[in-house]
Amino acid sequence: MLKGTLAKVKLSLDSQCFHRKPEKWETAIISSRIASLPTEITMQEFAQAVVIPNGRSFAPAVFKDGIRKNAYWVSQQVFALDIDEGLSVADAINRCERYDIMPNFIYTTFRSTPDHEKFRMVFLVNEEVHDIRVRELIQRSLMTLFPEADVQTKDASRLLFGGKELVYEAYDNVISVPDLLNAVILHIKAGPNPSRDMERYCRVVGIDLINGYPNYKLIDENDEIASEDNLFISMTKKRTNPIIFNRERPKISHGSYMIKFSKENTEEYHRKLDSKDEGKLLKDYCFQIDKVKEGFAQIRDFPFEKLEENCKLYRESIHGDYWLYHNEMFGVMTNLLRIKGGKTRIEQILNSRPEYAQKKIEWKVMINQIQKSNYAPSRCDSYCPFADECEHALNMIEQGKLFRGRIQVTQKPNFQPLEDAEKKLKQYFHEALNCEENGVFVIKAPTGIGKTQLYVNAAQTHTFTIALPTHRLKEEVSERLNRLGCKHVKVPQLPNLDIEFAEKIERLYNNGAYKAVNAFLKKMARQNEEIRNYLEELENVHKARNQIILTTHQRSLFTKEDANGTLVIDEDIIPSLLPVSKMSVTDFTLVCSKLMQNEENRTAILTIQNMVLNAPVGLVQERAAYLLPNANEVEKIIVEDNAIKSDILGFLNCSYFVKTKGPNGNEFIYFIQRHQLPKKKVIILSATISETIAKMMFGPEVKYWDVGLTESKGEIVQIPIKSFSRYAIKENEELLNLAKKLIDIYNPNSTIITYKGFMEQDEAIPTFGNTEGIDSLKGQNITVLGTPHVNPIAYLLYSAALGYKLGLNDSKMEYQQVQRNGFRFFFNTYGNNEILQEIQFYLVESQLIQAIGRARTLREDAKVLVLSNLPVQCARFIHLSQRDIQNLLHS
């Protein structure tokens, strides 16, 4: 991006110098060669080149094939007007100041005399124009503001001569298309017949009308613009040779814009007026244009006092403490006019300073233009001089009032290059690996950054145990180690069994009867070779010394201490350390009744049973430790009775529990256990682990590193209009139809990750809760549909297990405003307990991030569409109005 007087522009500049106007034969020679002389030059160098002693001729445009004809026009950034009579230089500059359209320089032509001043005004546009329609619009708009100008200069291939001397120089001056259009509107509205003249102007330049104004709007690079015929969109990031100038007080230029032209960008714009129409710029030869009428909706019940509290620009403007520049007033108006009562506040601003009196007519024209053109509210960072000083929302309206389904970005994310993030990850990992002290080291790093390859490479020179979430991931790591020739052992996976045996083992696991499972497997091993091999492999892992060991999260918590002094955990293990389980009260009373047949157990079991039966519904209860019966007896009963399917043993070893009542009156107990990590050095590598939760779980002394946000090759787009929660979709079929239409528009043919059983898809496609480490969707476009809320009971149990007692009103959830991760948004969460809120966001965000990570956008050019109201840090947000939603539903 070019700044200041060092900016270079492209034009066609002749090489021959003149002290006079060239003769006809000289002009013919210049004309034949000038299109072959494209030049890149600063405006100051250009200005010096066209006046004596140089006096070089030029064409403001660049042409193809060296031919100076309209049909060969390629681009243009410099525009000129010839004033031969009717206006002095001083008068011209005064008019420019009135409309805030300032020339870059002015020079007198060769035919100028002291008695008859003739001069050329040269303007610099803040972008290189490649669309002939925009070129014609700029030239004809300048000529509308200066009807005294020679009509011959309108031609795209016009040849212009040098001149005598510079009479005005301001090389930082630049104009923009939106500013030029605003100036034309102001000029026409001040005339005798504004409605007629506005239509004539639009017909001449070929712009459609909306409510009597040219159909153009300022837009943001994140706006989704519906595809329309003849729509021109100028996006700041895609512009050629954009120029921004430094000033003592920065004037933030209008950014991107859209114009609804009446024709495509074709040769028709290289037309010439009929001879009878020459010199009648706003008369007869015109395009056929569309005239559109559009309503202007306003926001009601707006809290202006909140806006005054949150917005420095509004606060200082309304009290007259800050003088608004033109573009700042424009930005304020586009926001306030969207609010019922906002026009009254604008009048207060206009009356707050005496300097505004001379601009009141101009401001009123601007108000009408904004209302009738239905301008969207300008973004804070596009015009507000205090944008970098405050935590501002998208625009002034949202600074005062946050709307449901909108995400306010209060802190811009700081993305680093992938190479920098890789260096950080490597540094943190090796610092932890080489540390001589034991303890827990947590490294948070984005999905797909290379965590697995990092510890696989380290396995060539270090010995440690690696714990992974699933056996499938364990096998993938094993293959990588084999490719490097790195010897290792791995915990085996239970082989496939006949349905009868598989169901029995699954029931015993679910009931927490692990000893019974081992005994059953040893018995089966006498007759089943696969089981026998499985047990032998398991024993080999236990005996392994000085080798890399591969295991699973679950197994690492229940295996006796292995010989390795370091445990590397891939992905977040906290959910395994704090498992939440469910027990039927009916199953529990059945077990209790059998246990009480033993006289020695009766008193203790009766006390436990009463504790469960009398527990209040919905409140967290601490399980009394001294009431434990003999675990072997309980396990024996569970093994013998196939009707018992609850984790009774898990409950008897739990920390906290909550009783609930189902819709049919059946009672259940949800409980949480708290397991501990092995007493050794533990390194956790995860994309989702929360620092707050990690320190609550492992203690404040835990070492926590966050690699930070990283630039991605792919794209994440989020539409946060609805939560798309499991419950909401079940209750409202229309919501699922809306989701399908959004997918068709914004990410068609993408793979959908959502709740289990919600979409008719291949069973191989992962669902929420089952996405960790899956690599089969790498590089593919995916849609993540839903906000994977967890049963609220889990949040309460987590809080209790982590040592935080809840008050009476702590567990109340409500839809409220939340600020998190640099965003402000509405969410159904806990208002009175920050710990519960942190636990909730941690568990929900983890599922979202894991699902999004399956596309591996960090390194792959894939697109992920997120349909959820929980904002994702790396996402680009698309905000849809209620009208947009209704149109989608009924389309």
Side-chain angles (χ1 to χ4, degrees):
M1 186 168 293
L2 301 175
K3 294 184 179 182
T5 55
L6 296 178
K8 288 190 175 183
V9 296
K10 299 175 185 175
L11 46 79
S12 301
L13 181 63
D14 192 45
S15 56
Q16 187 174 353
C17 298
F18 286 89
H19 289 193
R20 54 171 173 77
K21 183 179 178 180
E23 302 290 343
K24 283 187 178 181
W25 65 271
E26 292 172 313
T27 300
I29 295 173
I30 296 169
S31 177
S32 65
R33 71 186 177 212
I34 195 166
S36 300
L37 299 170
T39 304
E40 284 195 54
I41 192 171
T42 69
M43 291 300 290
Q44 187 170 4
E45 291 168 342
F46 172 44
Q48 296 294 333
V50 298
V51 295
I52 295 174
N54 298 307
R56 294 158 67 182
S57 304
F58 70 96
V62 175
F63 305 92
K64 63 181 177 181
D65 300 335
I67 301 174
R68 189 182 65 83
K69 289 185 178 180
N70 288 346
Y72 289 82
W73 178 93
V74 172
S75 67
Q76 189 170 339
Q77 193 162 5
V78 173
F79 291 78
L81 294 179
D82 279 3
I83 308 294
D84 288 340
E85 57 185 22
L87 201 65
S88 68
V89 171
D91 290 339
I93 293 173
N94 286 337
R95 190 179 301 177
C96 288
E97 290 176 342
R98 186 193 320 159
Y99 295 128
D100 201 18
I101 299 295
M102 300 303 297
N104 197 272
F105 64 88
I106 300 174
Y107 68 92
T108 54
T109 62
F110 286 125
R111 293 188 300 157
S112 179
T113 65
D115 295 330
H116 193 176
E117 197 172 40
K118 298 175 184 287
F119 57 92
R120 180 165 292 130
M121 305 171 69
V122 179
F123 297 86
L124 174 64
V125 180
N126 67 342
E127 60 181 310
E128 190 175 314
V129 177
H130 295 268
D131 191 302
I132 190 63
R133 298 170 300 179
V134 181
R135 186 268 163 204
E136 294 288 299
L137 167 66
I138 294 170
Q139 188 69 51
R140 293 176 182 274
S141 296
L142 288 169
M143 296 177 75
T144 300
L145 296 175
F146 292 90
E148 301 89 349
D150 183 353
V151 296
Q152 298 298 325
T153 56
K154 71 181 184 302
D155 198 24
S157 59
R158 183 69 177 173
L159 174 64
L160 301 171
F161 300 126
K164 293 182 177 180
E165 62 177 339
L166 294 168
V167 292
Y168 175 86
E169 299 170 82
Y171 301 113
D172 276 357
N173 282 350
V174 62
I175 66 173
S176 71
V177 172
D179 285 338
L180 188 55
L181 282 164
N182 289 340
V184 169
I185 291 169
L186 182 62
H187 171 76
I188 292 174
K189 285 297 180 180
N193 199 329
S195 297
R196 180 199 65 192
D197 291 344
M198 191 70 75
E199 181 175 343
R200 284 182 176 176
Y201 165 77
C202 287
R203 291 179 66 205
V204 165
V205 298
I207 302 181
D208 289 342
L209 276 167
I210 178 170
N211 297 332
Y213 283 83
N215 194 347
Y216 82 99
K217 291 180 182 178
L218 301 178
I219 57 175
D220 177 70
E221 63 192 31
N222 293 323
D223 290 344
E224 293 291 323
I225 309 298
S227 177
E228 293 184 54
D229 292 339
N230 310 325
L231 188 67
F232 173 81
I233 300 174
S234 171
M235 298 303 291
T236 303
K237 287 186 177 179
K238 298 178 183 177
R239 285 181 180 162
T240 305
N241 203 28
I243 297 175
I244 290 181
F245 289 94
N246 295 321
R247 291 186 169 91
E248 290 182 7
R249 178 178 173 189
K251 177 182 176 182
I252 306 171
S253 63
H254 290 301
S256 300
Y257 59 92
M258 51 169 272
I259 301 175
K260 184 66 168 62
F261 284 106
S262 61
K263 293 286 184 181
E264 295 179 1
N265 181 23
T266 66
E267 290 185 3
E268 185 169 353
Y269 275 78
H270 292 293
R271 57 182 167 68
K272 287 185 178 292
L273 299 181
D274 294 337
S275 58
K276 64 178 180 179
D277 294 320
E278 286 292 342
K280 299 179 181 179
L281 182 62
L282 297 177
K283 293 293 183 182
D284 300 321
Y285 189 100
C286 300
F287 290 99
Q288 294 298 316
I289 61 174
D290 289 334
K291 303 175 186 178
V292 180
K293 294 288 185 182
E294 198 174 87
F296 189 87
Q298 286 191 313
I299 298 163
R300 297 177 178 272
D301 303 320
F302 185 82
F304 286 101
E305 68 285 351
K306 197 73 176 176
L307 177 61
E308 188 169 347
E309 178 185 334
N310 294 340
C311 179
K312 181 178 180 180
L313 181 62
Y314 175 77
R315 182 169 61 250
E316 296 200 2
S317 299
I318 204 82
H319 295 295
D321 298 330
Y322 181 81
W323 172 43
L324 291 163
Y325 270 79
H326 176 89
N327 66 306
E328 294 164 355
M329 182 69 81
F330 179 87
V332 169
M333 285 182 177
T334 61
N335 281 272
L336 293 183
L337 288 172
R338 282 281 182 174
I339 307 168
K340 188 173 180 61
K343 194 171 182 179
T344 303
R345 268 67 182 187
I346 291 174
E347 290 174 359
Q348 284 182 248
I349 293 173
L350 295 180
N351 292 325
S352 66
R353 297 180 69 99
E355 299 97 324
Y356 294 150
Q358 60 183 354
K359 305 272 284 183
K360 278 196 174 182
I361 295 176
E362 180 181 339
W363 295 145
K364 286 181 180 179
V365 171
M366 187 186 292
I367 289 171
N368 289 331
Q369 176 193 350
I370 291 168
Q371 288 180 312
K372 291 188 176 181
S373 297
N374 207 357
Y375 274 113
S378 297
R379 292 172 58 103
C380 294
D381 56 12
S382 71
Y383 72 94
C384 180
F386 309 121
D388 294 332
E389 298 179 21
C390 67
E391 291 186 353
H392 62 83
L394 179 70
N395 53 47
M396 186 179 280
I397 295 173
E398 294 190 12
Q399 191 73 352
K401 182 177 182 179
L402 177 64
F403 296 87
R404 294 190 178 193
R406 303 282 297 193
I407 307 297
Q408 289 184 0
V409 180
T410 59
Q411 183 178 348
K412 291 182 180 179
N414 183 24
F415 295 101
Q416 63 189 316
L418 178 58
E419 297 79 8
D420 292 352
E422 289 172 328
K423 289 177 183 177
K424 284 184 184 178
L425 174 62
K426 189 174 182 179
Q427 173 194 334
Y428 298 154
F429 179 73
H430 285 288
E431 186 174 334
L433 192 62
N434 296 320
C435 182
E436 295 181 358
E437 298 179 3
N438 286 344
V440 179
F441 301 82
V442 178
I443 305 173
K444 183 179 181 181
T447 302
I449 195 174
K451 297 187 289 289
T452 304
Q453 195 59 46
L454 183 64
Y455 63 70
V456 166
N457 290 339
Q460 298 176 88
T461 54
H462 296 73
T463 301
F464 45 78
T465 298
I466 304 169
L468 298 119
T470 64
H471 283 288
R472 184 185 56 76
L473 287 175
K474 180 204 68 184
E475 293 301 323
E476 288 181 9
V477 172
S478 177
E479 289 178 12
R480 293 199 194 190
L481 290 170
N482 285 333
R483 286 197 293 269
L484 292 175
C486 186
K487 291 185 178 180
H488 62 281
V489 294
K490 57 186 178 181
V491 168
Q493 184 174 4
L494 191 67
N496 293 326
L497 302 172
D498 293 339
I499 294 178
E500 177 186 354
F501 297 129
E503 288 180 347
K504 181 170 182 177
I505 288 177
E506 184 178 3
R507 185 183 73 83
L508 293 175
Y509 270 130
N510 290 339
N511 292 346
Y514 303 116
K515 289 182 180 179
V517 171
N518 291 333
F520 182 67
L521 289 174
K522 287 178 181 178
K523 182 178 179 181
M524 287 185 63
R526 299 170 190 164
Q527 303 167 347
N528 186 309
E529 185 177 357
E530 285 186 309
I531 297 295
R532 188 163 57 251
N533 291 337
Y534 166 77
L535 293 176
E536 287 176 359
E537 287 182 44
L538 207 56
E539 186 62 26
N540 289 336
V541 172
H542 294 156
K543 294 178 179 178
R545 297 293 183 273
N546 300 319
Q547 287 192 68
I548 295 293
I549 299 174
L550 298 183
T551 185
T552 62
H553 284 187
Q554 196 72 17
R555 177 72 67 172
S556 69
L557 301 179
F558 297 101
T559 303
K560 292 180 181 179
E561 295 289 324
D562 60 49
N564 293 334
T566 299
L567 172 64
V568 175
I569 300 176
D570 193 335
E571 301 294 356
D572 188 359
I573 198 172
I574 290 178
S576 297
L577 292 169
L578 296 173
V580 177
S581 304
K582 180 180 176 182
M583 176 185 75
S584 162
V585 172
T586 301
D587 281 356
F588 181 70
T589 54
L590 176 61
V591 171
C592 286
S593 65
K594 292 187 176 185
L595 286 171
M596 283 190 287
Q597 292 174 10
N598 184 333
E599 191 69 31
E600 294 180 9
N601 289 335
R602 184 169 298 171
T603 302
I605 297 303
L606 186 61
T607 304
I608 295 175
Q609 181 175 272
N610 289 336
M611 177 184 68
V612 171
L613 295 176
N614 297 330
V617 173
L619 291 180
V620 176
Q621 303 288 303
E622 187 171 6
R623 200 258 322 143
Y626 63 88
L627 296 176
L628 279 176
N630 187 297
N632 291 331
E633 285 189 53
V634 178
E635 190 161 356
K636 182 180 178 183
I637 293 170
I638 291 170
V639 171
E640 293 174 352
D641 193 337
N642 290 331
I644 299 172
K645 301 185 182 299
S646 298
D647 187 2
I648 309 297
L649 283 168
F651 168 72
L652 294 174
N653 287 285
C654 79
S655 303
Y656 296 89
F657 69 92
V658 176
K659 186 161 77 172
T660 65
K661 188 170 288 188
N664 55 2
N666 292 338
E667 293 182 328
F668 296 91
I669 298 292
Y670 286 86
F671 60 91
I672 191 168
Q673 296 172 276
R674 178 163 180 166
H675 301 306
Q676 300 296 326
L677 290 172
K679 300 294 183 182
K680 58 174 66 179
K681 183 195 295 180
V682 178
I683 304 172
I684 302 173
L685 299 163
S686 169
T688 61
I689 194 164
S690 156
E691 181 175 8
T692 301
I693 302 298
K695 289 185 175 179
M696 290 164 65
M697 184 72 203
F698 307 122
E701 67 278 2
V702 64
K703 184 66 177 177
Y704 185 95
W705 291 292
D706 188 346
V707 169
L709 300 177
T710 305
E711 294 172 354
S712 296
K713 187 175 182 180
E715 180 185 28
I716 301 172
V717 175
Q718 183 168 5
I719 304 177
I721 50 172
K722 301 286 184 182
S723 71
F724 292 103
S725 67
R726 183 196 302 269
Y727 175 80
I729 294 177
K730 276 186 176 180
E731 293 295 308
N732 186 357
E733 186 177 340
E734 200 176 53
L735 206 57
L736 190 57
N737 292 333
L738 174 62
K740 290 177 179 177
K741 289 188 176 182
L742 290 172
I743 295 168
D744 287 342
I745 294 171
Y746 294 101
N747 205 14
N749 304 315
S750 57
T751 300
I752 302 171
I753 298 178
T754 186
Y755 313 99
K756 190 173 183 179
F758 263 65
M759 304 290 281
E760 296 179 4
Q761 297 186 115
D762 189 326
E763 290 185 1
I765 294 174
T767 55
F768 286 136
N770 185 34
T771 58
E772 281 185 327
I774 291 177
D775 216 29
S776 58
L777 299 178
K778 177 181 178 181
Q780 296 185 31
N781 293 346
I782 67 173
T783 294
V784 178
L785 170 59
T787 305
H789 289 284
V790 179
N791 188 328
I793 291 172
Y795 307 141
L796 304 181
L797 290 172
Y798 258 71
S799 177
L802 291 170
Y804 290 85
K805 306 299 182 184
L806 302 177
L808 188 62
N809 296 319
D810 284 346
S811 60
K812 182 181 178 181
M813 297 182 77
E814 57 186 1
Y815 206 66
Q816 60 190 291
Q817 190 177 137
V818 176
Q819 186 148 337
R820 180 177 178 82
N821 291 336
F823 302 118
R824 191 180 292 126
F825 55 99
F826 274 99
F827 203 75
N828 191 34
T829 186
Y830 301 94
N832 298 321
N833 192 297
E834 292 181 1
I835 296 300
L836 276 177
Q837 196 176 98
E838 179 64 32
I839 291 168
Q840 178 194 13
F841 282 121
Y842 157 66
L843 292 175
V844 179
E845 283 170 350
S846 295
Q847 291 296 322
L848 269 183
I849 292 169
Q850 285 294 345
I852 292 166
R854 297 317 96 210
R856 305 299 195 200
T857 55
L858 201 66
R859 300 179 185 275
E860 301 293 330
D861 189 16
K863 180 178 183 179
V864 179
L865 173 65
V866 182
L867 300 180
S868 168
N869 66 338
L870 180 58
V872 177
Q873 278 188 295
C874 299
R876 173 173 67 87
F877 299 105
I878 296 175
H879 293 112
L880 302 179
S881 66
Q882 289 301 315
R883 181 186 295 180
D884 294 331
I885 295 171
Q886 290 305 313
N887 290 341
L888 278 173
L889 287 172
H890 298 102
S891 61

